[in-house]
Amino acid sequence: MLTGKKVVVGISGGIAAYKAVEIVSRLKKAGAEVRVVMTRAATQFVTPLTFREISGNPVVCDMWQEPKEWNVEHIALANWADVFLIAPATANIIGKIASGIADEFLSTTVMATKAMVMLAPAMNSNMYINPIVTDNLLRLSKIGYQIIPPDSGMLACGVEGPGRLPEPETIVNTLVRILTRGSDLAGKKVLVTAAGTREPLDPVRYIGNRSSGKMGYALASAAANRGADVVMVSGPSNLPPPPGVVVKKVETAAEMRQAVLDEFGNADLVIKAAAVADYRPSIVSKQKIKKTDGKITLVLEKNPDILAELGERKVKQILVGFAAETEDLLTHATEKLNRKNLDMIVANDVTLPGAGFDSDTNIVRVLYQDGRIEELPQMSKDSLAGQLLDRITALMTNSN
Ligand code: C5P
């Protein structure tokens, strides 16, 4: 799977460094050429000798050590790498990379590389949820660093919570998935809905919602980059159409329903990220409604639930829905997952800062048919699109 790939594994000084031994071993078995860089603190947990034996290459721990080969120095290693994986990534190395500090070999090499950098944070829960660390991770995710979220569970320090390094198998699988993203949706037809609908009251007014379309546009763009034929049915949005995506613009829920049903038969995957109005005015006035002295009453009637309809019709399609909630997130999301016959639902509490409408970031939980619930940390909508597609492609592979 990784034949010909050059991977630099950076190891920083946390107890989870021992798991990096198995990560390097698995990368080698998958065919990668691996070079290990350790921070000084990491060498307190595992000896460089262990990594030298497993990787079959010299290990660099010191900026100033005498080079054994001319090319074992930070710029050469930075250029050599196809991908950098830092596992475990401590709060310290994350902070240094996010702040542009390059004061030892690992941070200096990362700063000099143009390769993709993946970070697998592992630390005590209180450190992990410290806003300084979460802000640093967010900042890095916004500029294209890939963050592999830690697991929750009992940590070495005796505390229970998020911060545990995922199992080496999970980390290596994630790395493989991200590296092979380029084409993992080739030949697949993907239908995405995005933005909110507008339900007219009269020629100048409508009932709408706060959806910006950012999440749906990020998903459509990410799916196209991974080789899919993407059609996006979008409500009004100021965002530019993503390159390589066929965009069908609609206004109302009824128009969105028709456009979605036209495409549904061809689709392998449908992602409904649009915020569809549940109700529309019963009467649409042909003329602008005039102001009067008294109150006016609007009568609304129910819109069709497009996704529920797709859930009834689905044959081969993988269906993914979104649930934007302001309370009882998991209860509502689970109910929608089941009622709409979805394979996966992405739930977010839109009252949280950094989540939901018009934000550049999102904080979601992913719920699956088999009852699994995954909590993802705050990240940019672009990074989230990639992470969601990783999970969706895994579902598509399993359903074949
Ligand atoms: O029921 P609720 O609107 O909260 O469900 C959200 C999910 O259902 C989203 O994926 C949304 O795109 C979809 N939906 C739909 N048609 C509607 C309402 C919501 O497809 N009328």
Side-chain angles (χ1 to χ4, degrees):
M1 286 177 298
L2 292 175
T3 307
K5 292 284 180 213
K6 299 182 182 120
V7 185
V8 173
V9 178
I11 300 165
S12 54
I15 179 61
Y18 78 90
K19 288 192 185 171
V21 177
E22 193 183 334
I23 295 174
V24 173
S25 159
R26 283 181 177 271
L27 289 170
K28 289 283 292 179
K29 282 187 191 134
E33 196 177 334
V34 182
R35 297 211 168 217
V36 174
V37 177
M38 299 176 80
T39 63
R40 195 167 278 282
T43 63
Q44 299 291 319
F45 292 94
V46 187
T47 67
L49 181 64
T50 310
F51 287 109
R52 194 183 75 191
E53 291 306 310
I54 297 197
S55 68
N57 277 315
V59 173
V60 192
C61 317
D62 184 355
M63 195 76 190
W64 314 113
Q65 76 193 34
E66 192 62 32
K68 298 217 170 38
E69 300 167 36
W70 70 269
N71 59 349
V72 181
E73 44 105 314
H74 65 278
I75 301 297
L77 203 56
N79 290 339
W80 176 85
D82 293 317
V83 58
F84 257 80
L85 168 67
I86 305 188
T90 56
N92 184 49
I93 193 80
I94 293 166
K96 284 203 284 188
I97 298 172
S99 316
I101 295 173
D103 64 348
E104 36 68 50
F105 196 91
L106 182 55
S107 49
T108 309
T109 315
V110 168
M111 195 180 285
T113 194
K114 286 192 161 165
M116 179 194 291
V117 181
M118 296 173 58
L119 300 171
M123 65 199 76
N124 159 277
S125 300
N126 289 338
M127 289 171 88
Y128 179 66
I129 61 172
N130 185 318
I132 297 174
V133 175
T134 43
D135 278 1
N136 283 337
L137 285 170
L138 185 60
R139 180 144 167 230
L140 291 170
S141 100
K142 279 186 181 161
I143 53 175
Y145 285 69
Q146 302 291 326
I147 315 295
I148 304 176
D151 285 347
S152 278
M154 184 57 80
L155 306 180
C157 52
V159 174
E160 181 127 20
R164 199 169 66 179
L165 191 73
E167 290 311 313
E169 185 182 5
T170 311
I171 292 190
V172 173
N173 287 347
T174 309
L175 181 138
V176 169
R177 249 189 352 240
I178 292 176
L179 274 187
T180 53
R181 264 178 186 174
S183 54
D184 62 357
L185 284 173
K188 298 288 179 202
K189 303 225 179 305
V190 177
L191 173 60
V192 178
T193 68
T197 62
R198 287 180 179 174
E199 309 298 324
L201 280 161
D202 67 18
V204 294
R205 305 183 182 97
Y206 59 83
I207 297 178
N209 61 62
R210 295 182 189 279
S211 173
S212 62
K214 284 179 187 160
M215 193 66 242
Y217 278 59
L219 281 159
S221 165
N225 287 339
R226 293 161 80 138
D229 290 332
V230 186
V231 176
M232 177 170 69
V233 177
S234 171
S237 167
N238 293 328
L239 299 171
V245 171
V246 176
V247 182
K248 301 199 164 174
K249 283 277 195 157
V250 296
E251 288 239 348
T252 64
E255 287 167 14
M256 182 168 279
R257 174 178 175 274
Q258 196 49 58
V260 165
L261 292 182
D262 289 347
E263 297 294 332
F264 185 60
N266 286 328
D268 299 297
L269 162 65
V270 183
I271 308 177
K272 286 226 74 217
V276 187
D278 291 326
Y279 292 91
R280 66 177 181 275
S282 288
I283 296 165
V284 182
S285 170
K286 287 214 165 53
Q287 307 303 334
K288 185 178 170 194
I289 300 168
K290 287 289 168 206
K291 189 160 46 191
T292 56
D293 287 339
K295 294 178 180 171
I296 62 163
T297 304
L298 289 178
V299 180
L300 304 178
E301 65 185 71
K302 200 130 194 257
N303 269 333
D305 189 320
I306 308 168
L307 192 50
E309 202 172 331
L310 300 185
E312 281 166 22
R313 293 184 183 207
K314 93 170 173 189
V315 196
K316 50 161 190 174
Q317 294 89 346
I318 295 282
L319 276 190
V320 178
F322 274 72
E325 304 292 345
T326 55
E327 58 181 359
D328 297 333
L329 181 68
L330 291 181
T331 318
H332 290 306
T334 309
E335 185 273 325
K336 284 175 197 176
L337 176 76
N338 295 328
R339 179 168 50 84
K340 303 191 187 200
N341 191 19
L342 309 180
D343 298 279
M344 179 173 139
I345 193 156
V346 184
N348 64 330
D349 178 345
V350 287
T351 63
L352 292 178
F357 303 126
D358 217 19
S359 166
D360 285 330
T361 64
N362 216 344
I363 307 167
V364 305
R365 292 185 200 191
V366 184
L367 287 75
Y368 301 87
Q369 265 296 332
D370 61 7
R372 266 181 310 136
I373 299 178
E374 237 185 316
E375 199 166 327
L376 298 183
Q378 184 181 9
M379 63 183 92
S380 68
K381 286 183 175 170
D382 286 334
S383 298
L384 181 61
Q387 298 249 359
L388 293 176
L389 286 178
D390 285 347
R391 287 156 177 81
I392 295 168
T393 44
L395 285 182
M396 292 173 86
T397 314
N398 293 339
S399 74
N400 277 338

